[in-house]
Amino acid sequence: MDYVFTILILIGLFVILASSFDLVIGHCGLISIAHPIFYAIGAYISAMLSKQYGLPVPVSILCGGVGALLASALVAVPALRVSGDYLLIASIGFQLGLIELAKHFHEIGGAGGLTNIPSFLIKDFGRESYVVLVLVLAALTVLFIRWLTQGPYGRMMTAMRDDELAFSMLGRNAIWVKVAVFAIGSGIAGIAGGLYAHYFRFLEPDQFGLLQSSAVLTMVVVGGMRTTMGPVIGAIVLQLMPQVITFFNLPPSILGPLQGLLFTGLVLFFMFVRPQGLLPAADLWVGRKQQGDAGQSAKEARS
Amino acid sequence: MFELAVVSQILWTSFATSSYFVLFAVAFALVLKVNKVFNFAQAGVMTCGFYAAYVGVRILNLPGYAGFMLGIGGGVAMSFVLEYFGFAVLRQRKASAMFVFIFTLIASQFIAYAVMMIFGTWPTTIFASMFWPVTMVGGIAVSAWDVPAIAATVVVLTGLWAFLKYSRNGQFMLAVADNADLAELYGIQKDRILMLSMVLAGVIVSIGMFLYGTRAQVQAAAATELMLFAVAATILGGIGNIWGAAIAAVVLGVVQNSSILFIPSAWQGFLLFAFLFFAIVLFPRGFRLPERRNTLKRLAVAPQALSDGKGH
Amino acid sequence: MSATLEIRGMCKSFGGIVVADSIDLDLMAGRVLGLIGPNGAGKTSLFNLVCGVVKPDAGSVSLDGRSLEALPTYERARMGLARTWQNLRLFPSLSVMDNLMLGPRAYSADSLMDVFFRPSQIRAHEAEARDRALDILERTGLSPIAHSRVQDISFGQQKLVGVARALMNEARCLLLDEPMAGVEGQTYALIQKAVRDIAASGVAICVVEHNVAFIRDLCDEGVFMFAGKVLARGSVEQLINDPHLTELYFGT
Ligand SMILES: Nc1ncnc2c1ncn2[C@@H]1O[C@H](COP(=O)(O)OP(=O)(O)OP(=O)(O)O)[C@@H](O)[C@H]1O
Ligand SMILES: [Mg+2]
């Protein structure tokens, strides 16, 4: 049973990660694959605050989210001031550099990993309660991103993706939109990181490297970018698939690369054979208020 | 503070080791300049080059030069595959820059995992021994690796320079780099030139990997870091400037290797990322992925000619 | 009367090509200035310089007496500078209506705080913008296609959407880059009327156009540009009939 709970929790966490990553890379069109580092920042901050400073777990998870949000702005502001493409290198450098740095800090467990992270809910209410918590938060994340992208902010992101220059000429600040969306997506990932830390109670820097990046990217690409359910389906499919391989009792030296091969192979397959993913996104943005009815008057909207 | 002999020894060794960094950076900068691709799949090419040489020397027991040729063959083959089945297809499809970049990244990861499956994750070298006999030259120990490595790098750089300057294909390459559409208009086969530059980069990095793999241990994931070094050098050297990237690679190589004088060796690996940041924050000028617009522009161009007769 | 838009000593060259050679130009409120010149004269480049899309080598621009020098493009737009593009630059993933909805100087979702914490304000703002968009669509005859994709409408209509989108700004100064190229018939009259109406409301307008009839019908005054220089300013009639300028224009 615990095995099933763990799978459900991983699915929930990856739904959060994939959806928030889709917000950044799909909806906003920001090229970055460093999403897992913000997951890691959230996880480590939350773990350290509760372990070393005794903060209540929910508070430390929130702090982890805020920390990830701030860290992402730290990367995005200087990079995006130059150009959107710079974010990519800056964020990869940040991701790999921070992992390298974490390996040298014994205070946070170093390369060996951080152990004995306080648990949450499980002692009092059982594992089911944590499963419910994670799945509820996953659903909320999906709904939140849907709400954001179908509102006026979504219209902005769509226009910016289409033509950034024309977008600026209308008086919209493209850099600010990018920084804000990058920060929101990263903050959400940070919260997912906290949830991860207090369930598995062990963190290791290498977990958050390029393998994790390709996994999340795969979920989004395979599921379908810029759709509400695409990343969800991607997360479920790609979380269950590797579980199947684990039943074959392969030695870990084969298992790791095999999973990596599976993830990257799937992305390549989808990129060339079905670039739109399982669920293709509509090519016309439709906001939530206008759906269906043509000329909606101001009076209706105000009432 | 430091003894002169120690300092000059470290400087020499760092200079010699920067030879392969230069090759990686030059190849990266060449592809960025000509193909306008930020080619992270170079790591995959490097890995293939190394393991081809490794198979030749360690498994088939071929002599060193045969391993060297095999290494180049491996790198070239992988470059060909990437360009033919990857980049060319994406180009034809007018895939966005983001899409192309993700392809390069995922392809390099895919190759790394495939290699891990086949060869395991243990680091290996091309020759059984990494130790090279040493000669003392004026108080500095010069290993038998140093001089050929530097010589090979100089030969490659000179060859590339001459190729770009004097050969027809080299000039075509620069024309494509300058303006691919215009070059095509003048009858240059763009796809052939892009393939050529990819393959040339494959040759250069394979030579670099041969040098690296005869001196240090390599495992499937190692190429990524080596390549990030090339990225930093390319940015620092000025985008589109191949020789600037080469010089930046020497400087970075010397700084990283001689950093042992100032910081604990455990932190040396971290320096690479410091470089990347430094490059991005302080020398951001000029770096851009190419922009592709394929939506409204075509519509807009055609009726332009109708505009009332005037002006044409 | 002081000018709405003042361009002073504007210089710019790309490599060897001089696109602006110390250009001085004033745009007056309520007046339409026609910018004429052969291909490559630097007309579009001048717009780009004014909008901050291209950084000038020297020179300054001010709008209503306030210098735009240090401001990025979006800030200039927020001060009341609007333009259309020679190659349209509409947003293909948005409907005509949503293309316009992004146009107001202040957009509903410019502040994230509002998005998250003042939904009612956002709604009011959106409704207001929608009303204005509907009004402009009505005036430009685009109402029937308000919810179409911009790829699905005719080229003339696309041009008109570009103008309509710029109108959402309620700009002080409007720059139109070849609004008539490729447009005929009914749309021609619609664009002309729209521009006239806007000028009448006190906006300074500059139109780049190769269509002489359009320029003659519409503009109060004309400027002739050649190789980055303003060669002549005067009535459109005068400019068109000047044999020297005509020669330059046709490059004979
Ligand atoms: N970003 C740029 N980089 C290099 N050259 C440029 C750039 N923008 C414009 N030019 C060059 O400057 C010259 C003037 O261009 P511009 O677009 O301003 O002309 P124009 O007067 O608008 O012509 P047309 O009537 O054809 O639209 C052209 O030769 C063009 O190639
Ligand atoms: Mg023009």
Side-chain angles (χ1 to χ4, degrees):
Chain A
M1 209 51 208
D2 279 3
Y3 175 72
V4 175
F5 288 152
T6 302
I7 301 285
L8 282 175
I9 283 181
L10 282 175
I11 287 179
L13 291 175
F14 274 98
V15 165
I16 300 179
L17 274 183
S19 295
S20 55
F21 187 50
D22 185 33
L23 176 69
V24 172
I25 196 171
H27 290 283
C28 201
L30 288 174
I31 317 181
S32 153
I33 55 148
H35 211 54
I37 198 63
F38 302 108
Y39 186 50
I41 289 172
Y44 269 98
I45 289 181
S46 183
M48 289 306 289
L49 286 181
S50 56
K51 184 180 170 184
Q52 296 291 9
Y53 305 98
L55 246 64
V57 169
V59 177
S60 53
I61 290 180
L62 275 181
C63 291
V66 172
L69 188 144
L70 294 177
S72 72
L74 203 73
V75 182
V77 171
L80 287 172
R81 277 164 58 103
V82 182
S83 93
D85 315 321
Y86 244 79
L87 182 64
L88 176 77
I89 318 158
S91 60
I92 290 182
F94 184 72
Q95 179 183 20
L96 300 179
L98 212 58
I99 289 171
E100 193 68 30
L101 197 65
K103 287 186 193 164
H104 291 92
F105 269 109
H106 298 294
E107 292 80 0
I108 58 167
L114 182 62
T115 50
N116 281 327
I117 299 165
S119 72
F120 178 54
L121 286 182
I122 296 167
K123 272 203 210 92
D124 302 329
F125 303 100
R127 282 181 191 274
E128 299 87 336
S129 60
Y130 209 85
V131 173
V132 171
L133 174 72
V134 169
L135 292 183
V136 166
L137 285 176
L140 285 178
T141 304
V142 172
L143 289 175
F144 166 75
I145 289 171
R146 192 178 121 105
W147 171 81
L148 187 69
T149 54
Q150 291 191 345
Y153 219 76
R155 187 192 288 129
M156 279 217 278
M157 287 189 275
T158 308
M160 188 177 74
R161 253 189 0 253
D162 274 356
D163 192 329
E164 195 174 321
L165 194 55
F167 178 76
S168 309
M169 196 59 237
L170 295 180
R172 313 279 77 85
N173 185 346
I175 293 180
W176 166 240
V177 172
K178 289 179 187 174
V179 170
V181 174
F182 193 63
I184 292 172
S186 303
I188 294 174
I191 290 181
L195 291 170
Y196 178 92
H198 297 285
Y199 182 82
F200 291 94
R201 307 184 54 203
F202 173 71
L203 296 173
E204 191 184 11
D206 273 332
Q207 278 173 297
F208 304 100
L210 290 177
L211 176 59
Q212 185 85 282
S213 292
S214 358
V216 182
L217 183 65
T218 312
M219 292 168 187
V220 176
V221 170
V222 168
M225 274 193 187
R226 270 178 277 132
T227 55
T228 306
M229 290 312 288
V232 177
I233 293 172
I236 295 172
V237 170
L238 283 145
Q239 200 53 57
L240 292 180
M241 198 141 50
Q243 302 306 326
V244 180
I245 326 177
T246 53
F247 287 122
F248 292 119
N249 274 328
L250 295 166
S253 63
I254 298 280
L255 192 66
L258 190 62
Q259 284 189 351
L261 211 56
L262 195 77
F263 281 136
T264 51
L266 259 177
V267 180
L268 289 178
F269 175 82
F270 268 84
M271 286 188 102
F272 286 93
V273 179
R274 195 179 160 83
Q276 69 275 38
L278 290 171
L279 289 183
D283 51 4
L284 184 69
W285 181 85
V286 181
R288 92 185 133 252
K289 272 270 136 65
Q290 305 148 265
Q291 266 157 346
D293 68 335
Q296 191 181 21
S297 82
K299 274 195 206 101
E300 274 175 67
R302 279 198 194 99
S303 62
Chain B
M1 193 163 66
F2 304 111
E3 259 180 76
L4 184 67
V6 176
V7 174
S8 43
Q9 177 67 57
I10 287 176
L11 280 179
W12 166 253
T13 310
S14 329
F15 178 70
T17 39
S18 65
S19 57
Y20 45 76
F21 285 141
V22 169
L23 295 178
F24 301 145
V26 162
F28 194 87
L30 177 73
V31 170
L32 183 60
K33 185 182 170 86
V34 178
N35 303 49
K36 304 279 183 280
V37 171
F38 203 69
N39 185 18
F40 270 41
Q42 179 173 316
V45 177
M46 287 157 73
T47 308
C48 279
F50 170 80
Y51 278 97
Y54 167 83
V55 168
V57 174
R58 295 290 287 280
I59 297 181
L60 304 177
N61 288 315
L62 299 175
Y65 66 86
F68 179 73
M69 296 314 290
L70 218 61
I72 292 181
V76 165
M78 187 37 85
S79 297
F80 178 85
V81 168
L82 285 170
E83 168 65 25
Y84 191 81
F85 296 104
F87 294 116
V89 176
L90 294 177
R91 237 186 351 261
Q92 202 182 4
R93 237 197 242 165
K94 298 193 166 28
S96 69
M98 172 175 87
F99 208 81
V100 175
F101 174 75
I102 291 176
F103 163 70
T104 70
L105 191 78
I106 295 292
S108 82
Q109 295 286 104
F110 182 83
I111 296 166
Y113 290 124
V115 166
M116 267 183 226
M117 293 277 292
I118 301 169
F119 296 99
T121 46
W122 282 106
T124 44
T125 52
I126 291 177
F127 297 119
S129 156
M130 290 189 295
F131 296 101
W132 295 84
V134 164
T135 326
M136 295 303 288
V137 179
I140 296 175
V142 174
S143 91
W145 182 90
D146 294 350
V147 177
I150 294 173
T153 304
V154 170
V155 168
V156 169
L157 289 186
T158 320
L160 181 65
W161 175 79
F163 174 77
L164 290 177
K165 193 155 169 86
Y166 298 112
S167 84
R168 260 178 89 71
N169 281 324
Q171 289 162 350
F172 286 173
M173 227 178 243
L174 291 182
V176 170
D178 207 37
N179 186 338
D181 295 329
L182 197 63
E184 214 170 15
L185 223 57
Y186 282 110
I188 298 175
Q189 286 171 293
K190 192 174 81 180
D191 284 315
R192 198 180 61 83
I193 294 298
L194 294 181
M195 171 63 87
L196 188 64
S197 104
M198 216 46 134
V199 165
L200 200 60
V203 173
I204 297 173
V205 297
S206 302
I207 297 174
M209 272 323 262
F210 192 86
L211 295 179
Y212 185 77
T214 49
R215 197 176 181 283
Q217 295 190 314
V218 177
Q219 29 92 9
T224 307
E225 285 206 5
L226 289 173
M227 186 203 52
L228 286 177
F229 201 94
V231 178
T234 306
I235 297 173
L236 274 176
I239 308 299
N241 183 349
I242 298 173
W243 316 117
I247 292 167
V250 176
V251 173
L252 292 187
V254 170
V255 171
Q256 181 172 40
N257 285 303
S258 58
S259 66
I260 201 143
L261 292 168
F262 317 102
I263 57 174
S265 62
W267 286 96
Q268 254 186 306
F270 183 67
L271 213 58
L272 162 64
F273 302 101
F275 286 157
L276 256 183
F277 262 136
F278 179 71
I280 287 165
V281 176
L282 295 183
F283 296 92
R285 209 132 298 275
F287 172 64
R288 283 201 67 90
L289 286 170
E291 199 176 312
R292 284 210 187 85
R293 298 233 165 274
N294 48 5
T295 39
L296 281 170
K297 223 177 196 161
R298 240 176 293 127
L299 267 175
V301 174
Q304 214 80 85
L306 299 173
S307 65
D308 207 27
K310 260 223 157 189
H312 292 281
Chain C
M1 192 171 70
S2 76
T4 302
L5 188 84
E6 268 183 23
I7 303 171
R8 288 288 171 272
M10 190 61 83
C11 293
K12 177 74 191 179
S13 54
F14 293 111
I17 308 170
V18 179
V19 294
D21 190 351
S22 35
I23 291 180
D24 295 316
L25 204 60
D26 288 343
L27 300 189
M28 300 295 178
R31 290 173 69 82
V32 185
L33 180 74
L35 194 53
I36 315 172
N39 294 113
K43 305 178 296 291
T44 301
S45 299
L46 185 63
F47 280 9
N48 286 341
L49 287 163
V50 169
C51 296
V53 173
V54 168
K55 298 270 162 290
D57 296 336
S60 64
V61 191
S62 61
L63 183 67
D64 285 327
R66 281 173 300 177
S67 168
L68 300 181
E69 213 157 335
L71 301 180
T73 301
Y74 75 92
E75 297 259 23
R76 297 183 191 207
R78 286 180 186 181
M79 286 181 60
L81 183 67
R83 79 175 279 188
T84 66
W85 304 84
Q86 191 170 351
N87 54 357
L88 291 166
R89 287 181 171 270
L90 301 178
F91 306 119
S93 309
L94 293 178
S95 67
V96 169
M97 182 69 184
D98 283 314
N99 263 274
L100 263 66
M101 287 293 285
L102 279 158
R105 263 192 236 186
Y107 180 65
S108 59
D110 272 338
S111 152
L112 257 185
M113 286 297 132
D114 290 354
V115 174
F116 290 134
F117 303 113
R118 300 198 198 97
S120 60
Q121 188 171 327
I122 293 273
R123 244 173 289 141
H125 214 130
E126 285 269 294
E128 202 179 301
R130 182 163 285 121
D131 281 350
R132 187 144 97 247
L134 286 173
D135 181 44
I136 290 175
L137 289 173
E138 185 73 44
R139 285 199 336 244
T140 47
L142 291 170
S143 300
I145 51 161
H147 294 273
S148 310
R149 306 190 315 164
V150 294
Q151 295 101 303
D152 299 342
I153 61 180
S154 76
F155 184 75
Q157 286 171 323
Q158 290 180 1
K159 282 258 155 167
L160 211 47
V161 172
V163 176
R165 188 175 69 178
L167 295 187
M168 288 295 286
N169 182 291
E170 294 190 318
R172 296 286 305 134
C173 175
L174 181 62
L175 310 175
L176 301 172
D177 201 345
E178 306 202 5
M180 299 313 296
V183 174
E184 334 73 73
Q186 201 191 352
T187 317
Y188 182 102
L190 281 167
I191 293 186
Q192 195 160 33
K193 180 167 180 323
V195 175
R196 266 272 142 248
D197 289 350
I198 307 152
S201 69
V203 178
I205 300 180
C206 183
V207 187
V208 169
E209 193 47 68
H210 289 295
N211 182 332
V212 177
F214 181 76
I215 291 273
R216 195 193 294 131
D217 294 350
L218 191 69
C219 299
D220 304 303
E221 208 181 354
V223 157
F224 190 95
M225 255 188 100
F226 184 80
K229 279 198 184 66
V230 171
L231 290 191
R233 178 165 191 160
S235 81
V236 178
E237 230 32 78
Q238 226 173 323
L239 295 180
I240 301 173
N241 295 329
D242 185 323
H244 174 59
L245 297 182
T246 312
E247 197 182 300
L248 286 176
Y249 196 114
F250 288 107
T252 41

